[in-house]
Amino acid sequence: RKPEQLAKLAEAGFRADGASNPDSPVTDFPAVTTPLSFADPAERAGLAARLAAPVQDGTVTVMLGQSVPGLTDVAAALNDRLQQLPPSAAVGLWTFDGVAGRSAITTGPLGDDLGGTPRSAALGSSLQSQGGSASGAVSFTTLRLVYGDALAGFRPDQPNSVLVVTAGPHTDRSLDGAGLISYIQGAANPQRPVAVNVINIGDDPDRATWEAVAQASGGQYRNVTGAADPAFGDAVSEFLG
């Protein structure tokens, strides 16, 4: 905010206190408001750590509900983050609707060749082609399959996790919430830790179940309003690596 620096900012087209703004047919250059301030040292440190944190290798199986609101935007956000990961990061994709859960792309390094195309491109194509569903009823039984698969394919010396992106309600008839929690508690293996991280979109009546599943597996739970919620992008970045 020194005068000579404010003058340089004004010359470059920025608003600056005490400097004359150029004529513009587009904007009238409203007054500069109070600058954004992070007064809390912990907030500043947290922001700096997040911005400086490098993308890391990890093994993540994404479990995407086809009934989530704004599925196209959700899939696009997931794909955008995937394309930022290194080729050595391992990612896979499962999807589920009101009828069945299915493996769309097997979990493995993004740089691996899958029929003439890298896994990263195959994941991108699969995400972009997802069709919507009116229900995510089989989410609990699908997670049971995905979690068992993640344990069997555990990759040592790096974080292993499942990322569930879902919205409620869930009416799984063969496995209720209590049964899923019990399964995760019994299947969790300290020698092969696989965290279940959950991004829950909207007001899900099964929220308590997802929170308990995340806690039992050593994972984290996030509730967001939708793909446009900044918290959604933050959670995707954190949980995908």
Side-chain angles (χ1 to χ4, degrees):
R1 289 184 169 270
K2 292 181 178 179
E4 60 272 20
Q5 296 187 355
L6 288 172
K8 289 182 179 179
L9 286 170
E11 289 174 6
F14 292 94
R15 292 173 295 171
D17 288 342
S20 298
N21 292 309
D23 293 330
S24 172
V26 178
T27 179
D28 57 1
F29 292 100
V32 178
T33 58
T34 303
L36 180 65
S37 175
F38 287 94
D40 186 344
E43 290 181 357
R44 292 201 304 271
L47 179 61
R50 176 60 59 85
L51 292 174
V55 174
Q56 297 180 346
D57 282 359
T59 298
V60 185
T61 301
V62 178
M63 183 181 132
L64 176 62
Q66 293 179 320
S67 65
V68 298
L71 176 61
T72 299
D73 293 334
V74 168
L78 290 168
N79 185 43
D80 286 346
R81 183 57 180 172
L82 284 175
Q83 304 311 316
Q84 299 175 31
L85 301 180
S88 53
V91 181
L93 175 65
W94 280 66
T95 63
F96 64 95
D97 52 24
V99 179
R102 59 197 65 81
S103 174
I105 303 292
T106 58
T107 301
L110 291 174
D112 280 2
D113 180 83
L114 295 181
T117 186
R119 179 177 269 103
S120 58
L123 282 163
S125 296
S126 183
L127 285 167
Q128 292 170 10
S129 66
Q130 291 302 312
S133 168
S135 171
V138 296
S139 57
F140 297 162
T141 51
T142 301
L143 180 55
R144 180 171 58 186
L145 294 172
V146 173
Y147 193 74
D149 189 61
L151 286 171
F154 182 83
R155 300 178 78 200
D157 303 322
Q158 63 179 233
N160 287 244
S161 64
V162 173
L163 171 56
V164 179
V165 183
T166 187
H170 309 276
T171 56
D172 210 319
R173 296 178 180 177
S174 60
L175 181 67
D176 61 9
L180 176 62
I181 296 168
S182 178
Y183 165 74
I184 295 294
Q185 291 172 334
N189 184 349
Q191 303 304 315
R192 293 188 165 203
V194 176
V196 178
N197 297 310
V198 180
I199 302 179
N200 211 180
I201 299 176
D203 186 14
D204 189 343
D206 293 305
R207 173 172 180 162
T209 295
W210 293 118
E211 288 179 317
V213 164
Q215 182 178 19
S217 66
Q220 299 183 56
Y221 173 90
R222 297 283 189 277
N223 180 258
V224 300
T225 59
D229 185 343
F232 177 76
D234 188 56
V236 167
S237 295
E238 181 179 358
F239 294 151
L240 276 182

